[in-house]
Amino acid sequence: MKKQVLVTGGTGYIGSHTVVELQAVGYDVVIVDNLSNSQLDVLDRIEQISGIRPAFEQFDLVDQEKTEAFFQKYPNLNAIIHFAAFKAVGQSVDKPLMYYRNNLVTLMNLLECMTIFNVPNLVFSSSCTVYGQPEKLPVTEDAPVQKATSPYGNTKQISEEILQDTIFANPELKTIALRYFNPIGAHPSALIGELPLGVPNNLVPFITQTAIGLRQQLSVFGDDYNTPDGSAVRDYINVVDLAKAHVIAIARLMENKNKKNFEYFNLGTGRGASVFEVIESFERSTGQKLNYKVVGRRAGDVEQVYADTRFANEELGWKAEKTLDETLVSAWTWEKNLRK
Ligand code: UD1
């Protein structure tokens, strides 16, 4: 029988790419999503790519009763990948309770059900935001967690603590937290990708929307950082590469290859790219000229962060493969496809 994996947030950006990769290696996928930041037709698109329509249940995992009813309906789950969460840093500052309730209660409900219904394996979406501005770069997994600069970031830190404590108390549970750097790009089919609601906060969707004419101009937030060209540096990781790491993490748990019951890994390329480098790479690889201007720094932004990926490379046997150029081309192809 195929192993069954619950993917929460499976119609979202990283979730949908991960569903496709799970199906490609033979997992039976069940998606739970409340569609608060995604659309139902993502299921059609997943089916177009993989030839398999994943099972889908629409409800809010904040609801404990509905969550329990779901686990009753699907008694053969082997593992869970938990993506479902809010992720807009600025919005979290305005609506902290909405963020704490959504991002923490869903996790607690899932953990409760994992113990009641004997589903031992969980992969959790964490973030490099837990490191703040690290003292040493590239940042390793043992770098200290720094006080979060936003409620969103805090939900990721608290979630990791909830996981650690719950796993300590329930040694039958096992978790891998994956700390993403900056996921960008889209599936090579251009059928799934990032679909920001309203004005994008993140750099790459803002770039592609500007290039296609939806936005007038990209603002570069700061050129006075202590970096080679003065703009801030991040580690941009291709979303398909990222999705593949989830498949490896799930197998590691199910095959009991994990060394501890709570493990965490950096998922990045190991290479920092500045905002100007991203713009230059986009213009060169797509042939599109980008209208941009430098403005002041954005509150809460760190100067530079990029991953030390050795632990993920060695332990998971995973490595990011796609270049920044080809990833930006995939984001551009997706954007063009969306606006056709
Ligand atoms: C942030 C969060 C991260 C979260 C991610 C997803 C922090 C430190 N990081 O990443 O945890 O997972 O959002 O929402 O909280 N930029 C511009 N102009 C723009 C947009 C961005 O110059 O219009 C610059 C930013 O200043 C930054 C870089 O581009 O230097 C990347 O920004 P963004 O894509 O928003 O991601 P982060 O802020 O790194």
Side-chain angles (χ1 to χ4, degrees):
M1 209 166 84
K2 281 184 170 185
K3 297 249 194 272
Q4 194 173 51
V5 180
L6 161 62
V7 180
T8 78
T11 51
Y13 175 41
I14 306 171
S16 57
H17 288 81
T18 302
V19 169
V20 167
E21 297 305 320
L22 288 167
Q23 290 176 324
V25 294
Y27 288 108
D28 178 20
V29 176
V30 185
I31 293 176
V32 169
D33 204 302
N34 64 2
L35 300 181
S36 65
N37 192 23
S38 60
Q39 288 169 1
L40 204 53
D41 77 344
V42 170
L43 295 176
D44 303 332
R45 291 156 175 268
I46 290 172
E47 189 178 359
Q48 267 179 275
I49 297 170
S50 68
I52 308 162
R53 193 172 186 83
F56 175 70
E57 301 286 341
Q58 184 182 349
F59 68 93
D60 196 331
L61 290 155
V62 167
D63 187 324
Q64 173 78 21
E65 271 178 31
K66 285 188 184 154
T67 307
E68 282 195 23
F70 168 85
F71 276 81
Q72 262 152 9
K73 185 172 170 186
Y74 292 89
N76 299 317
L77 292 174
N78 297 97
I80 300 171
I81 308 183
H82 182 39
F83 292 105
F86 293 149
K87 61 175 183 180
V89 175
Q91 185 186 42
S92 79
V93 175
D94 296 334
K95 299 184 172 169
L97 293 179
M98 185 173 120
Y99 271 68
Y100 286 117
R101 181 174 296 113
N102 188 61
N103 291 6
L104 301 181
V105 174
T106 53
L107 176 64
M108 291 189 284
N109 284 347
L110 277 177
L111 286 167
E112 200 95 65
C113 285
M114 287 170 66
T115 59
I116 300 170
F117 296 92
N118 299 314
V119 184
N121 305 310
L122 176 72
V123 172
F124 176 72
S125 297
S126 190
S127 168
C128 70
T129 190
V130 301
Y131 300 121
Q133 176 58 66
E135 269 176 33
K136 280 195 222 130
L137 287 168
V139 62
T140 52
E141 284 83 352
D142 54 15
V145 166
Q146 299 204 41
K147 188 169 165 35
T149 53
S150 72
Y152 158 78
N154 209 16
T155 66
K156 292 298 175 191
Q157 294 188 1
I158 298 171
S159 291
E160 286 199 5
E161 288 176 357
I162 290 173
L163 287 167
Q164 195 134 30
D165 292 345
T166 308
I167 282 148
F168 181 74
N170 301 274
E172 73 280 11
L173 299 184
K174 294 173 291 171
T175 288
I176 294 178
L178 298 176
R179 293 175 171 171
Y180 312 150
F181 283 68
N182 288 54
I184 60 163
H187 194 266
S189 65
L191 285 164
I192 52 174
E194 194 170 5
L195 260 182
L197 287 178
V199 183
N201 296 304
N202 297 115
L203 179 62
V204 171
F206 208 104
I207 287 178
T208 56
Q209 288 197 9
T210 306
I212 205 122
L214 274 179
R215 314 275 153 216
Q216 242 188 344
Q217 192 170 50
L218 169 77
S219 298
V220 173
F221 297 138
D223 66 352
D224 56 352
Y225 285 109
N226 187 20
T227 58
D229 65 21
S231 65
V233 168
R234 298 287 183 274
D235 185 337
Y236 296 92
I237 165 91
N238 180 286
V239 68
V240 176
D241 281 340
L242 192 72
K244 288 181 176 162
H246 292 74
V247 179
I248 294 171
I250 277 288
R252 179 178 173 93
L253 291 175
M254 286 205 272
E255 292 162 15
N256 286 312
K257 288 186 180 150
N258 54 303
K259 303 217 167 116
K260 293 180 189 162
N261 282 354
F262 181 55
E263 296 182 315
Y264 42 93
F265 296 94
N266 285 343
L267 295 186
T269 64
R271 185 182 166 272
S274 73
V275 176
F276 288 133
E277 280 178 90
V278 174
I279 293 171
E280 196 266 323
S281 164
F282 178 81
E283 288 187 329
R284 181 167 29 81
S285 58
T286 66
Q288 294 294 311
K289 204 86 202 102
L290 199 71
N291 182 23
Y292 68 89
K293 71 160 187 233
V294 175
V295 300
R297 294 181 180 191
R298 181 171 68 176
D301 272 350
V302 298
E303 182 168 277
Q304 47 182 329
V305 59
Y306 49 95
D308 187 316
T309 61
R310 278 175 301 176
F311 191 48
N313 298 161
E314 284 159 20
E315 277 296 315
L316 297 179
W318 170 89
K319 205 172 184 335
E321 284 167 359
K322 301 265 197 319
T323 63
L324 182 59
D325 280 13
E326 64 186 303
T327 303
L328 289 169
V329 169
S330 75
W332 177 234
T333 310
W334 160 247
E335 184 72 58
K336 283 190 296 185
N337 226 22
L338 264 184
R339 315 294 164 192
K340 266 209 295 234

